[in-house]
Amino acid sequence: MSVVRSPLFIAVTTSALVLGAAALMARPARTDAPLARVKDVCASKDVRLRGEPHRLLAMCTRSARESASNDPGRIDLYLLKRDAEGWQPVAQKLGLESGRMGQPGEVSVLQLGPSLYGFEISETSVSQGYLLGGTRLYVPRETGFQVALDVTSTVRNTGTHECAHATPAVCSDFSRRLKVEVREGVAAYPLRITSLGHFRGEPVSATHVLSFDAKRAQYRLPAGFEAQVE
C-alpha cells in the first residue's frame, strides 16, 4: 500500500532535518578526543643467526594527522625467531618515544657483526632556526634491547638570531657520520665516526673509532670524544 504525504508534512520534515544539521555543525568540536594513531612496519630484515632464521622488525606508531611539536611517535623493536608455529619474539623493546609532531624518527637495520644486528634510529628537531639531530643504536640483550650508542649527529644554528647578529663564536654547523668498519675475526665490528664542520666558531675535523664492549653491549667512547654536544 502506498502512502501519500501532504505538502505540509514534507515541509515540516525538511525544516527539522535542516535545523538538526545546523545544530550539529554549530556544536563545538571536542578538544579532548585522542589523536588517531596508525601503526605500520618501518624497518624489517630477515637474517640468519647461528644458522637459524631470524627477523629484525620495527613497528612505528604515528599520528594520522599533524599534532603538537612535543608529541613524539612510538617505536617497537623486535628480534623474532622462526619455528614450526611461525615467528616468535626472542627480544623486544616496546613504546620507545621518538621524533616530534606525532611522527617517529627514521629506523634502519644495521649489521654490527657476523651474528650481531641492531637498529639505528635517527631523529631531528628544529626550533627557531636551530637544528639538532641525534642517532641511537639499539642491540639485542637478553630478552630486550640495549642502547649501544647515543650521539649528537647534527648541530646547526646558523638560522638563529644569535648567530646572525652576534659574534661567530656562537655559530655552529657541525655533523657526524657513522660507518660500520667490517673486519675479519671479530664478534662485533667497530664504528668509525667522522666529525666535520665548525662548532661554536671553531673548526672541527676528526675521526674516532669506537670498539664494542660485549659485556655491556655498548660501544666504548674514546678519550676526547663527546657523545652529546649542542
Side-chain angles (χ1 to χ4, degrees):
M1 179 179 65
S2 61
V3 178
V4 178
R5 303 295 189 188
S6 69
L8 178 61
F9 176 86
I10 295 173
V12 171
T13 303
T14 303
S15 298
L17 290 174
V18 171
L19 290 173
L24 288 174
M25 293 176 65
R27 184 180 301 168
R30 285 183 57 189
T31 59
D32 59 343
L35 291 173
R37 301 279 181 172
V38 177
K39 178 175 282 193
D40 55 17
V41 176
C42 48
S44 179
K45 186 176 181 65
D46 289 344
V47 301
R48 295 191 71 82
L49 301 179
R50 296 170 293 278
E52 297 182 295
H54 287 72
R55 173 175 293 171
L56 286 104
L57 177 69
M59 299 292 295
C60 288
T61 302
R62 63 191 80 242
S63 294
R65 56 184 175 84
E66 186 173 320
S67 62
S69 60
N70 61 350
D71 177 32
R74 302 289 189 276
I75 302 175
D76 299 334
L77 304 179
Y78 299 92
L79 174 61
L80 308 173
K81 180 181 178 181
R82 191 171 65 191
D83 60 19
E85 298 181 358
W87 294 100
Q88 307 298 331
V90 175
Q92 64 183 26
K93 192 172 186 66
L94 309 180
L96 287 172
E97 292 190 350
S98 171
R100 57 194 296 270
M101 300 182 71
Q103 306 301 310
E106 296 183 3
V107 189
S108 58
V109 178
L110 289 183
Q111 183 173 4
L112 300 170
S115 294
L116 177 62
Y117 289 81
F119 292 96
E120 179 182 30
I121 300 178
S122 302
E123 52 190 69
T124 303
S125 63
V126 181
S127 177
Q128 298 180 348
Y130 187 94
L131 185 148
L132 183 65
T135 299
R136 282 173 291 159
L137 301 184
Y138 287 87
V139 296
R141 189 180 190 190
E142 298 177 351
T143 60
F145 279 84
Q146 164 80 33
V147 179
L149 184 66
D150 186 359
V151 297
T152 301
S153 58
T154 308
V155 178
R156 185 178 302 126
N157 69 350
T158 52
T160 63
H161 180 272
E162 290 78 9
C163 180
H165 297 87
T167 63
V170 303
C171 296
S172 298
D173 190 355
F174 162 83
S175 63
R176 283 173 170 155
R177 186 182 66 215
L178 278 64
K179 181 181 179 181
V180 179
E181 294 279 312
V182 179
R183 298 182 183 177
E184 298 291 336
V186 297
Y189 303 138
L191 280 180
R192 180 178 295 272
I193 299 182
T194 303
S195 306
L196 293 172
H198 58 272
F199 182 71
R200 296 179 183 172
E202 297 294 329
V204 176
S205 179
T207 298
H208 295 86
V209 177
L210 283 60
S211 61
F212 188 74
D213 184 340
K215 289 184 179 180
R216 297 168 53 204
Q218 290 181 326
Y219 279 93
R220 301 181 182 93
L221 301 181
F225 179 81
E226 292 186 62
Q228 303 294 330
V229 295
E230 60 180 59

